[in-house]
Amino acid sequence: MSAFGRKNGPGAIRPAFGVAKPMHVLTPQSAVPEGVAIPADPLGGSQFPPLDPTALPALDGSEASPQQARNAEAMARLQDRMNADHSQQEGPQGFEASVHKIKEQVLPRLLERVDPEAAATLTKDELAEEFRPIIMEVLAELKLTLNRREQFALEKVLVDELLGLGPLEELIQDPDISDIMVNGPLQTYIEKKGKLQLAPIQFRDEEHLFQIAQRIVNKVGRRVDQTTPLADARLPDGSRVNVIVPPLSLRGTAISIRKFSAKPITLDNLAEWGAMSQKMCTALKIAGACRFNIVISGGTGSGKTTMLNALSKMIDPGERVLTIEDAAELRLQQPHWLPLETRPANLEGQGAITIGDLVKNALRMRPDRIILGEIRGAECFDLLAAMNTGHDGSMCTLHSNSPRECLGRMENMILMGDIKIPKEAISKQIADSVDLIVQVKRLRDGSRRVTNVTEVIGMEGDVIVTQELFKFEYLSEDANGKIIGEYRSMGLRPYTLEKARGFGFDQAMLEACL
């Protein structure tokens, strides 16, 4: 018996792996009788089509084709990345470095003259006024002379140390910064316009950074130490904070801050910034107003929470809305909005309140809509049950790379729980509950775009059937690396048109999708 499952020997049948076609070769003109025409055939015959000469390398030293130039440029970028040295990390430079150095000398002497409890009762402006004469005394003792600009900068960093978040304060105040990532006391990165760059700040030592991390989490009633080295918190402006400390973090305390715009972002803003087309914007406005059940899918940092906040603007002010999150970061603009937040376990490992517990309790609070900041586990089934029991217009976000993968993740999250129901029933529950999937993505140039708007139609056998209403198609990129593409309407009649008709938006929805 051979490896292919056939018997060996003369009687064995040779397996057919394909049929070879005869090779077509150009016949010399001299071998053709006079008067017989040779059919036109490309060089090499039909099996060997001619090569594109522009794709071949220039062997004679002539000018390279555009394709060759692009390939050479791409290979040069790879080589530059291979040869780059990223081992040196720059700290504060110039003026910031000098103020930082003076602060290290002044701060210990200042703390000897200040009552911390009394200072905590003052605002930053009042504390700066109280500090000014004391700082002048300390500078005179140290025999340091500062100009007016250095003195104001020193007052600010000292007040930030005592009442604020130390070196992080100036990054939080910068409206252009969307993310702050602290990797230990000596390295901090920021994100500006979708691109990461090193920030010119440093902390004194690990103890200094750990104190600031504790100050952040203590304000929201949480704690972080060696027994509970992970913590989720939020800043007073609603920015989301994650803290992880040693021994889990090997470089020291790590703080990740996701900032949010002080001004609420609307769907019109996203359309103006190129995150979606005007037709997509109109369709999503109708979906929010007509109480579609919407799932926003995307990767980390792709703008899921921003999209959820923008969609919530279309909720009727007369509806009662409950939001449920691990760390409250949604900021709805409705008058009747009640935010709920989970609670971690105490030192004994008891008293934890999960998202699933809050969803079950929310059903007893007479909500019109339930909005989940993010679903990660079995609470997905509770949300689907809410969508099916008179809470139309519920929304949530989850991590996924495509609308089809989003549906698969929802099935898997329900199966992660203790619910003993077959997979077919779970798929039908999802198909009956979810109306729309909005896929958002952060592209490699840092821009965030809505790449798909997909309807969930129903079931066909064991498969959930969907149809795509809008899609973003990549075309090229410009000289600055910015991605150029177009938003295409697929020209399909929306399956949710009947739901929009109940609110009088059926014609507008149809025109937006065609």
Side-chain angles (χ1 to χ4, degrees):
M1 184 73 70
S2 69
F4 290 101
R6 300 279 186 180
K7 291 185 178 180
N8 297 323
I13 301 174
R14 184 178 179 182
F17 288 102
V19 180
K21 295 181 181 179
M23 185 178 295
H24 300 289
V25 182
L26 287 179
T27 308
Q29 184 68 37
S30 59
V32 180
E34 187 175 354
V36 178
I38 301 176
D41 199 7
L43 182 62
S46 60
Q47 288 182 330
F48 300 95
L51 296 174
D52 182 6
T54 61
L56 296 174
L59 299 177
D60 56 355
S62 60
E63 184 178 353
S65 67
Q67 179 65 35
Q68 296 167 18
R70 284 196 296 270
N71 290 342
E73 181 185 353
M75 296 306 295
R77 289 202 306 268
L78 285 179
Q79 192 61 37
D80 290 343
R81 186 172 297 185
M82 175 72 72
N83 298 332
D85 182 15
H86 302 292
S87 58
Q88 298 295 327
Q89 301 290 347
E90 297 181 358
Q93 301 291 328
F95 177 75
E96 290 84 2
S98 63
V99 172
H100 180 76
K101 187 176 180 180
I102 296 170
K103 182 199 74 172
E104 296 302 318
Q105 301 177 53
V106 172
L107 186 59
R109 295 173 181 260
L110 185 65
L111 292 175
E112 295 174 358
R113 293 169 164 80
V114 174
D115 181 8
E117 293 183 1
T121 61
L122 302 176
T123 64
K124 287 189 175 183
D125 293 336
E126 293 171 343
L127 192 61
E129 290 292 332
E130 295 289 336
F131 272 4
R132 194 163 290 125
I134 305 176
I135 292 173
M136 297 304 294
E137 292 178 11
V138 175
L139 291 174
E141 288 181 10
L142 297 172
K143 298 181 180 179
L144 295 173
T145 303
L146 303 183
N147 58 35
R148 197 65 179 156
R149 180 191 175 200
E150 291 172 334
Q151 186 176 339
F152 276 129
L154 181 62
E155 290 175 4
K156 183 179 183 306
V157 296
L158 289 171
V159 171
D160 290 343
E161 281 290 338
L162 292 178
L163 290 186
L165 302 179
L168 293 177
E169 198 70 32
E170 61 176 296
L171 303 181
I172 291 172
Q173 300 301 327
D174 189 341
D176 295 331
I177 296 176
S178 57
D179 273 280
I180 304 170
M181 291 144 280
V182 182
N183 307 324
L186 302 180
Q187 187 187 73
T188 300
Y189 276 89
I190 57 176
E191 182 187 272
K192 277 190 175 183
K193 298 179 180 178
K195 297 292 185 180
L196 294 180
Q197 61 190 63
L198 193 64
I201 68 165
Q202 286 185 353
F203 298 84
R204 285 197 307 275
D205 49 29
E206 169 61 22
E207 184 181 358
H208 180 207
L209 176 56
F210 182 67
Q211 288 175 352
I212 290 176
Q214 284 186 315
R215 190 178 300 174
I216 293 173
V217 300
N218 289 344
K219 286 184 179 178
V220 292
R222 311 239 170 147
R223 69 181 187 280
V224 60
D225 49 37
Q226 288 191 348
T227 58
T228 53
L230 298 172
D232 285 318
R234 64 184 182 277
L235 298 179
D237 64 352
S239 299
R240 183 176 66 198
V241 183
N242 176 266
V243 178
I244 179 169
V245 302
L248 301 187
S249 174
L250 303 184
R251 283 195 178 182
T253 300
I255 303 175
S256 304
I257 301 176
R258 172 71 53 79
K259 288 178 57 183
F260 293 102
S261 173
K263 182 181 178 182
I265 295 176
T266 64
L267 291 171
D268 287 331
N269 294 141
L270 295 175
E272 291 170 7
W273 299 336
M276 65 179 77
S277 66
Q278 285 297 335
K279 283 191 171 184
M280 293 169 75
C281 178
T282 302
L284 290 180
K285 283 180 181 178
I286 294 171
C290 296
R291 302 189 66 166
F292 289 9
N293 294 322
I294 302 173
V295 176
I296 301 169
S297 164
T300 301
S302 57
K304 300 187 297 298
T305 305
T306 301
M307 174 60 69
L308 190 54
N309 273 322
L311 279 171
S312 70
K313 177 71 174 174
M314 305 309 300
I315 297 176
D316 190 327
E319 296 179 13
R320 175 174 169 84
V321 184
L322 299 183
T323 59
I324 301 171
E325 302 168 86
D326 278 330
E329 54 185 303
L330 290 172
R331 287 178 295 169
L332 272 61
Q333 301 155 47
Q334 273 63 35
H336 200 166
W337 162 50
L338 180 62
L340 305 177
E341 189 177 57
T342 62
R343 186 179 71 185
N346 57 21
L347 286 172
E348 290 76 26
Q350 299 176 347
I353 304 295
T354 65
I355 286 183
D357 297 332
L358 290 178
V359 172
K360 292 172 185 174
N361 187 77
L363 297 176
R364 306 185 185 99
M365 299 174 67
R366 199 250 173 240
D368 289 308
R369 301 196 193 209
I370 298 176
I371 297 179
L372 261 66
E374 185 177 338
I375 53 175
R376 300 186 183 90
E379 67 270 6
C380 180
F381 185 79
D382 298 317
L383 178 66
L384 295 177
M387 291 177 173
N388 263 337
T389 53
H391 303 92
D392 286 343
S394 297
M395 306 178 194
C396 69
T397 70
L398 61 81
H399 283 81
S400 180
N401 293 326
S402 68
R404 175 57 59 181
E405 187 179 324
C406 167
L407 296 172
R409 281 215 65 210
M410 293 180 76
E411 292 177 350
N412 293 338
M413 284 188 288
I414 295 173
L415 291 172
M416 286 164 54
D418 298 329
I419 303 170
K420 301 295 188 280
I421 56 176
K423 184 176 180 297
E424 293 76 13
I426 294 174
S427 300
K428 189 174 189 314
Q429 179 90 337
I430 294 173
D432 292 343
S433 304
V434 179
D435 294 319
L436 212 62
I437 299 174
V438 181
Q439 182 72 35
V440 293
K441 189 174 183 180
R442 181 173 61 175
L443 305 182
R444 68 174 185 272
D445 63 349
S447 62
R448 294 171 171 88
R449 309 210 183 200
V450 179
T451 56
N452 303 85
V453 177
T454 305
E455 275 188 321
V456 180
I457 297 178
M459 296 287 294
E460 187 172 314
D462 296 338
V463 180
I464 301 176
V465 182
T466 63
Q467 74 172 7
E468 206 164 47
L469 298 181
F470 299 95
K471 182 180 181 181
F472 173 76
E473 285 195 354
Y474 168 85
L475 296 178
S476 63
E477 58 182 88
D478 61 14
N480 298 322
K482 185 174 179 59
I483 290 178
I484 300 171
E486 67 173 356
Y487 297 100
R488 290 189 55 194
S489 172
M490 309 311 289
L492 299 174
R493 180 184 177 88
Y495 184 76
T496 50
L497 207 59
E498 290 300 321
K499 205 167 189 178
R501 182 175 286 116
F503 292 83
F505 290 109
D506 53 326
Q507 189 62 33
M509 185 73 175
L510 187 61
E511 291 177 1
C513 294
L514 297 180

